């Protein structure tokens, strides 16, 4: 309708009567803008028709240039903040910037608070002084009859008393604002500091996760290359292939026997009696990665509980090393006071699996445990697969997680809070 009105440049009176005052102003503004646009188009068209065709002007080369500052070695001079001669360390510069930001923010808030406080003090004493003057004027006729000098002296004393009280109130208000500014500066400093530390920890965890994922991919590629070399070797030596086929058939036979015994032949769990592990029945469409805590809790209840994840072997007790969805900082805080070799297993928020946090002599290590399939294994560290999470833990109590680090799981780190951090997973 608006396009039709702008095209015809006319409005139906019935429609115009139904519009509000604001809508009328808007409509008239749009019509006026359309008139100006048409006028400019007409003027531009007439000017183009009158001017003869001129050849396009040749563009001149720009005189602007960028020159890099060169060092003594002839290369581009580079200065890295915090690493130059006489520079402060980056941590000290960051600390000073954080303190300055907190101080400026606290000063702005204190200035706003003092403006409100000062206005309130001025208003209160003005009202009190006006009330006192009204009281004096109400009885002025008596005082005039007795002593005019005493009246003026009384008014002066009252005015001085009110000024003194107002000044004392201002000083007390300024002191309160100053204390509040210092307190607020400390609060803002710690808030900014915690935000920086949390961001650095998140970046470090993301970097470690990406490194473990890359190692896992390289290990998969290496296994694929080994399988390819074995197939090529079999094609070159058919007699060996026949023998390997017989061995493979025997392996399949033993694998069938192992499945009949509850899949106890997987590495890390010796054959023996134990409760059967029912295959989890997935009743929901699992995304590629966890999107929320609710999705993680649902995944654990529907896929991990049937596989007895987090339980002790052959019992209904929850393993002392098992924890719920806790952060990296919480895990390190739990392991801080424990000796080297202490560990815990927490539910991951990045992958469908877990994170094994391990206490070193100086620091910590965090290993990703993949549980997206029908087995449990470390990502990018150890290619061995285990039927249950307890099997993986028991296996690495005797075998190191990595050859270079020699991490052996020794002492489990239990719960220290009530209710335990995994109570949402077992509700």
């Amino acid at each position: 309708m608006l396009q039709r009105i702008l095209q015809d440049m006319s409005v139906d009176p019935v429609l115009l009567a139904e519009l509000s005052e604001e809508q009328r102003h808007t409509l008239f503004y749009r019509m006026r803008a359309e008139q100006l646009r048409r006028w400019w188009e007409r003027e531009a068209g007439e000017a183009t028709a009158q001017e003869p065709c001129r050849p396009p002007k040749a563009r001149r080369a720009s005189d602007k240039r960028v020159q890099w500052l060169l060092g003594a070695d002839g290369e581009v001079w580079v200065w890295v903040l915090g690493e130059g001669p006489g520079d402060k360390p980056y941590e000290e510069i960051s600390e000073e910037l954080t303190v300055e930001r907190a101080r400026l923010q606290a000063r702005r808030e204190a200035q706003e608070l003092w403006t409100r406080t000062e206005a309130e003090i001025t208003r209160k004493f003005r009202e009190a002084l006006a009330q006192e003057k009204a009281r004096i004027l109400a009885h002025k006729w008596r005082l005039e009859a007795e002593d005019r000098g005493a009246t003026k002296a009384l008014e002066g004393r009252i005015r001085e008393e009110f000024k003194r009280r107002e000044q004392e109130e201002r000083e007390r208000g300024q002191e309160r604002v100053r204390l509040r500014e210092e307190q607020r500066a400390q609060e803002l400093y710690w808030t900014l500091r915690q935000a920086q530390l949390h961001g650095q920890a998140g970046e470090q965890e993301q970097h470690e996760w990406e490194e473990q994922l890359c190692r896992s991919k390289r290990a998969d590629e290496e296994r694929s290359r080994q399988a390819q070399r074995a197939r090529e070797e079999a094609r070159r030596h058919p007699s060996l292939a026949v023998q390997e086929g017989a061995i493979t058939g025997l392996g399949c036979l033993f694998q069938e026997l192992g499945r009949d015994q509850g899949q106890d032949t997987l590495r890390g769990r010796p054959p023996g009696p134990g409760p059967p592990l029912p295959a989890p029945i997935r009743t929901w469409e699992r995304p590629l990665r966890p999107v929320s805590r609710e999705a993680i809790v649902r995944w654990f209840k529907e896929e991990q509980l049937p596989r007895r994840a987090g339980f002790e072997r052959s019992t209904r007790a929850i393993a002392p090393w098992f924890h719920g969805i806790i952060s990296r900082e919480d895990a390190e805080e739990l392991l801080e006071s424990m000796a080297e070799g202490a560990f815990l297993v927490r539910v991951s928020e990045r992958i469908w699996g877990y994170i094994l946090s391990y206490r070193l002599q100086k620091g910590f290590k965090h290993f990703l445990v993949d549980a997206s399939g029908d087995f449990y294994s470390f990502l990018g560290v150890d290619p061995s697969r285990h039927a249950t999470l307890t099997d993986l833990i028991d296996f690495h109590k005797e075998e190191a997680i990595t050859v270079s680090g020699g991490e052996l799981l020794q002492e489990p780190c239990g719960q220290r809070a009530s209710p335990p951090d995994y109570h949402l997973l077992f509700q």
Side-chain angles (χ1 to χ4, degrees):
M1 184 179 295
L2 178 61
Q3 293 178 354
R4 188 172 66 252
I5 292 174
L6 295 178
Q7 182 179 359
D8 300 338
M9 297 301 291
S10 63
V11 188
D12 189 359
V14 178
L15 178 61
L16 185 63
E18 295 179 356
L19 299 178
S20 62
E21 190 67 24
E22 183 179 357
Q23 292 174 337
R24 292 179 184 177
H25 285 295
T26 303
L27 181 60
F28 292 154
Y29 173 79
R30 296 292 298 274
M31 294 177 68
R32 180 57 178 166
E34 179 66 17
Q35 287 179 344
L36 290 175
R37 188 188 65 81
R38 293 182 181 181
W39 184 82
W40 282 112
E41 285 184 353
R42 186 173 63 254
E43 290 294 324
E46 292 177 356
T48 303
Q50 293 176 0
E51 290 182 0
C53 295
R54 297 179 181 178
K57 295 182 180 179
R59 297 184 61 181
R60 294 181 301 177
S62 176
D63 297 333
K64 297 181 180 179
R65 295 288 186 275
V66 176
Q67 294 182 353
W68 297 101
L69 179 63
L70 303 180
D73 55 356
E75 299 294 334
V76 176
W77 184 81
V78 179
W79 176 63
V80 181
L81 179 64
E83 297 182 4
D87 287 353
K88 298 180 181 178
Y90 174 77
E91 291 76 11
E92 186 176 348
I93 297 175
S94 177
E95 185 78 12
E96 292 179 356
L97 291 176
T98 303
V99 172
E100 183 65 18
R101 287 177 58 189
R103 187 182 63 80
L104 293 177
Q105 179 66 20
R107 176 174 294 179
R108 285 194 295 268
E109 295 181 2
Q111 185 65 31
E112 295 175 358
L113 178 61
W114 170 242
T115 302
R116 295 193 299 269
T117 305
E118 185 179 21
E120 183 66 22
I121 293 173
T122 304
R123 183 188 62 78
K124 181 174 67 175
F125 280 95
R126 282 181 180 177
E127 292 178 355
L129 185 60
Q131 292 176 0
E132 189 65 21
K133 285 184 177 181
R135 186 182 66 81
I136 294 174
L137 290 175
H139 301 282
K140 190 175 180 180
W141 60 277
R142 296 179 182 176
L143 298 176
E144 286 179 351
E146 295 175 359
D147 189 3
R148 293 182 178 272
T151 302
K152 292 183 179 180
L154 178 60
E155 290 181 357
R157 287 195 300 272
I158 292 174
R159 188 178 294 105
E160 292 297 328
E161 179 66 19
F162 272 96
K163 286 184 179 180
R164 184 182 63 80
R165 292 181 182 178
E166 183 177 1
Q167 184 63 27
E168 292 178 354
E169 185 70 21
R170 286 177 179 272
E171 292 176 356
R172 288 194 296 269
Q174 290 177 351
E175 182 65 19
R176 289 194 300 268
V177 170
R178 186 185 64 81
L179 294 176
R180 175 58 182 167
E181 179 181 355
E182 295 177 356
Q183 180 183 1
R184 183 60 177 163
Q186 289 291 331
E187 293 175 357
L188 290 171
Y189 167 75
W190 287 113
T191 301
L192 294 172
R193 190 63 179 168
Q194 291 295 329
Q196 290 179 354
L197 293 176
H198 182 72
Q200 293 174 359
E203 292 176 359
Q204 182 179 1
E205 185 173 355
Q206 178 69 18
H207 180 66
E208 291 182 359
W209 181 81
E210 291 177 353
E211 286 184 352
Q212 291 190 11
L213 189 59
C214 291
R215 288 197 295 269
S216 176
K217 291 181 178 179
R218 287 196 295 269
D220 292 339
E221 293 174 356
E222 181 63 26
R223 287 194 293 270
S224 299
R225 286 193 293 268
Q226 292 177 359
Q228 180 66 23
R229 287 196 294 268
R231 287 193 294 268
E232 293 176 356
E233 188 70 20
R235 283 196 297 268
R236 286 196 297 268
H237 304 282
S239 60
L240 293 178
V242 173
Q243 296 177 4
E244 291 177 0
I247 295 173
T248 304
L250 291 175
C252 294
L253 178 60
F254 282 112
Q255 190 174 7
E256 292 294 331
L257 293 175
R259 280 199 293 268
D260 294 338
Q261 296 177 2
Q263 295 183 355
D264 287 333
T265 57
L266 285 177
R267 187 178 184 183
R269 176 177 179 180
L277 298 176
I281 301 175
R282 188 181 301 174
T283 60
W284 64 298
E285 187 67 25
R286 186 179 68 193
L288 295 178
R289 293 182 62 180
V291 295
S292 64
R293 288 199 167 214
E294 291 76 11
I296 298 174
V297 171
R298 183 176 181 183
W299 165 78
F300 184 85
K301 290 181 177 180
E302 296 192 7
E303 298 190 22
Q304 296 300 297
L305 279 183
R307 300 170 63 181
R308 295 179 52 80
F311 285 93
E312 289 279 16
R313 187 187 303 278
S314 304
T315 65
R316 292 183 176 273
I318 299 176
W321 41 260
F322 185 76
H323 289 258
I325 310 173
I326 61 175
S327 63
R328 178 195 186 101
E329 291 78 13
D330 294 337
E332 293 180 354
E333 184 177 355
L334 290 172
L335 294 169
E336 182 70 33
S337 59
M338 304 190 70
E340 182 181 7
F343 69 97
L344 61 86
V345 177
R346 52 193 173 98
V347 180
S348 174
E349 294 183 275
R350 296 182 177 273
I351 64 170
W352 298 114
Y354 305 88
I355 300 177
L356 189 148
S357 299
Y358 183 82
R359 182 70 165 98
L360 298 173
Q361 186 177 4
K362 293 182 180 180
F364 309 90
K365 276 189 177 182
H366 304 273
F367 302 96
L368 290 173
V369 180
D370 181 21
S372 59
D374 297 333
F375 55 87
Y376 297 85
S377 64
F378 285 112
L379 279 178
V381 178
D382 184 9
S384 60
R385 299 180 177 184
H386 305 269
T388 65
L389 187 60
T390 307
D391 290 344
L392 182 143
I393 298 300
D394 292 344
F395 176 75
H396 287 288
K397 288 181 179 178
E398 301 178 359
E399 297 289 338
I401 299 177
T402 62
V403 178
S404 59
E407 303 89 353
L408 287 176
L409 306 181
Q410 299 178 9
E411 182 183 0
C413 178
Q415 299 287 331
R416 297 181 185 176
S418 181
D421 51 32
Y422 52 69
H423 69 282
L424 293 177
L425 302 176
F426 297 96
Q427 286 182 350

